[in-house]
């Protein structure tokens, strides 16, 4: 590098000498320009990077998510960071926060700064809208009501299914210990509860009173209510409490993977279409200047790469090409929907899970 600089400097001085001999001010100005150009050329030759634009400033996102998405977003965040770096040259890191969906939403309302939320159900994001941090109409910002993947509710039992669990009716039998999280704090628990309610209501020809009695019996068989779905999984698969775990499908398959040969899945005759939604927390993203990358982060969930990662982590992909590829991994189950069968999340929350709602009426903690 030193040798290049000396050569370039010599060339510059020679040019100045020749042009000065011509005696005009215009020529002197030209000589100065030539000298500057030569020096700049030398600098460029010495350091090729000098001609490149500076790299964009690194950016950090915070994704506040629900309990069982830890493995999903660990893989997804790495993939998105690579994609974004290649596309823009910008380094992005993503901090994760996990817990029961309802609890996570309340933390955001109370001041936990999230650029994006990826929660278990729409009502939890709507509660953040009410705080003024997310704009109304958020579900129309992305495809499929801003739910890039789906799941459902299944049963996880010990290998060999020693209690003979086949359907929801078996969960209300005397002596059966059922593990499920608390619907007051967990989004997954609310899906569990509504799937059980839908089964009982259909079995009893639409009788809501019969459905209430059925779910009351079910919760009498629940010895402990963890605050989130991952906590309930730990209670069942690691602590060995309970005969059956009512679980997110993806969480059940993850348990099969991590505890090979110890558990098996039972698919009920009726379950519910769970549609976990995502949204930008507009107030925080605008404050931090992360709105562009936050939007790209959520949009990437809908790409083939994002959908592959979802499927590999046992979420049902929306993209048809990926869904076909993994079709044999996800059994066909009769599914009710929150909108058609429960009037949407606002109505379901008010009826079943709000203070003094049906859940508060039927659940009496064990003493």
């Amino acid at each position: 590098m030193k040798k290049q600089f000396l050569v370039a400097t010599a060339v510059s001085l020679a040019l100045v000498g020749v042009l000065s001999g011509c005696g005009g001010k215009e020529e002197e100005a030209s000589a100065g320009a030539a000298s500057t150009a030569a020096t700049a050329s030398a600098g460029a030759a010495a350091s090729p990077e000098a001609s490149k634009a500076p790299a964009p400033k690194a950016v950090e996102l915070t994704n506040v998510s629900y309990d069982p998405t830890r493995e999903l977003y660990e893989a997804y965040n790495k993939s998105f960071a690579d994609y974004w770096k290649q596309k823009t040259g910008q380094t992005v890191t993503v901090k994760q926060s996990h817990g029961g969906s309802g609890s996570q939403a309340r933390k955001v309302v109370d001041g936990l700064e999230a650029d994006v939320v990826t929660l278990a159900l729409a009502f939890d994001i709507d509660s953040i809208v009410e705080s003024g941090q997310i704009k109304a109409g958020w579900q129309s910002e992305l495809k499929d009501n801003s739910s890039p993947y789906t799941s459902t509710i299944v049963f996880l039992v010990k290998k060999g299914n020693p209690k003979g669990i086949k359907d929801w009716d078996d969960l209300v039998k005397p002596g059966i210990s059922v593990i499920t999280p608390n619907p007051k704090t967990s989004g997954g628990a609310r899906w569990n509860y509504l799937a059980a309610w839908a089964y009982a209501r259909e079995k009893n020809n639409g009788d809501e009173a019969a459905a209430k009695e059925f779910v009351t019996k079910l919760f009498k068989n629940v010895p402990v209510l963890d605050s989130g779905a991952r906590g309930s999984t730990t209670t069942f698969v690691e602590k060995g409490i309970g005969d059956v775990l009512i679980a997110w499908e993806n969480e059940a398959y993850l348990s099969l993977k991590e505890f090979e040969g110890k558990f098996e899945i039972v698919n009920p005759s009726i379950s519910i279409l769970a549609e976990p939604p995502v949204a930008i927390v507009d107030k925080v993203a605008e404050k931090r200047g992360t709105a562009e990358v936050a939007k790209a982060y959520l949009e990437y969930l809908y790409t083939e790469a994002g959908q592959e990662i979802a499927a590999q982590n046992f979420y049902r992909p929306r993209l048809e090409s990926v869904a076909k590829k993994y079709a044999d991994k996800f059994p066909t189950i009769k599914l009710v929907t929150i909108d058609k069968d429960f009037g949407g999340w606002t109505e379901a929350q008010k009826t079943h899970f709000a203070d003094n709602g049906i859940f508060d009426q039927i659940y009496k903690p064990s003493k």
Side-chain angles (χ1 to χ4, degrees), residues 102-161:
S103 298
Q104 291 291 83
R106 280 190 286 275
K107 288 177 183 178
V108 174
V109 170
D110 291 340
L112 175 60
E113 291 197 334
D115 301 276
V116 298
V117 288
T118 55
L119 297 177
L121 47 90
F123 180 84
D124 291 335
I125 296 183
D126 284 338
S127 69
I128 304 173
V129 173
E130 291 179 5
S131 74
Q133 298 186 68
I134 295 177
K135 296 175 183 176
W138 61 271
Q139 281 189 294
S140 64
E141 293 295 317
L142 296 166
K143 293 186 294 185
D144 300 313
N145 287 326
S146 292
S147 296
Y149 42 77
T150 70
S151 189
T152 190
I153 303 304
V154 300
F155 306 148
L156 187 70
V157 298
K158 296 178 177 68
K159 189 68 175 179
N161 195 3

